[in-house]
Amino acid sequence: MKKAEKIVIIGAGGHGKVVADAALASGIEDIVFFDQNPYLERTLLGFPVFSASDEGKGREPFIAVGRNSTRKDLWSSWIESFSPKIVHPQTTLARQIDLGPGTFVAAGVVVNIHCKIGKGVILNTSCSVDHDCHIGDFVHISPGANLAGGVSVGAGAWVGIGAVICENLSIGENATIGAGAVVIDSVPDGYTVVGNPARSINRR
């Protein structure tokens, strides 16, 4: 696996800080940020924040934006051939898993054997992904969420903080699982479900 030495983190918000901290912990020390928000400070965690995209030349880009649709849009603008995987060292990852490019794995995450994780995915703090799960591109699994074995999560879906998804279920593309929801049935594309047991409230 290609290891990045110099990165530009696209997004200088809260998620960008978490990504930078994990990058430092994994041995990547040459970091700059890119963000066009004029109200941001021009340094973050001691690293420069640039607003001109050419300042990131010669660095591997990593998109650190929590919103799935924005992360996907930025991917098409920034990623030409490669984006590093940033994995905090305080994780538990099985040997036989497939992590896609641009994936972020936060501290405390557990991923078990034979899981496939797409590109641009966020596996956030202390979530767990059990054996034989498939997570599509640009998914966000929020802090403390738990996926049982054999779960499939479609591209662009968002699994809220503390949610539980029972074994062998399918979560559709661009679906939203509310915070603390307990999902006992598969969720179609574009649906939002909340509660225990989870029930649909609307379709996006």
Side-chain angles (χ1 to χ4, degrees), residues 109-184:
V109 169
V110 177
V111 181
N112 271 324
I113 194 167
H114 291 159
C115 288
K116 182 175 176 60
I117 314 296
K119 66 184 180 184
V121 170
I122 298 173
L123 300 180
N124 223 323
T125 310
S126 296
C127 71
S128 68
V129 180
D130 217 323
H131 63 90
D132 300 294
C133 287
H134 184 282
I135 297 177
D137 297 340
F138 306 110
V139 167
H140 188 163
I141 308 297
S142 295
N146 296 287
L147 278 60
V151 168
S152 173
V153 182
W158 193 312
V159 179
I161 189 167
V164 174
I165 302 177
C166 293
E167 62 274 7
N168 301 318
L169 296 182
S170 175
I171 307 302
E173 294 185 4
N174 301 310
T176 299
I177 310 302
V182 177
V183 181
I184 61 173

Side-chain angles (χ1 to χ4, degrees), residues 4-39:
E5 296 180 355
K6 301 191 297 182
I7 62 171
V8 51
I9 296 175
I10 297 94
H15 187 57
K17 289 193 292 186
V18 174
V19 168
D21 180 69
L24 286 167
S26 66
I28 302 171
E29 297 182 350
D30 195 338
I31 297 170
V32 300
F33 290 90
F34 169 80
D35 200 306
Q36 292 182 311
N37 184 342
Y39 300 105

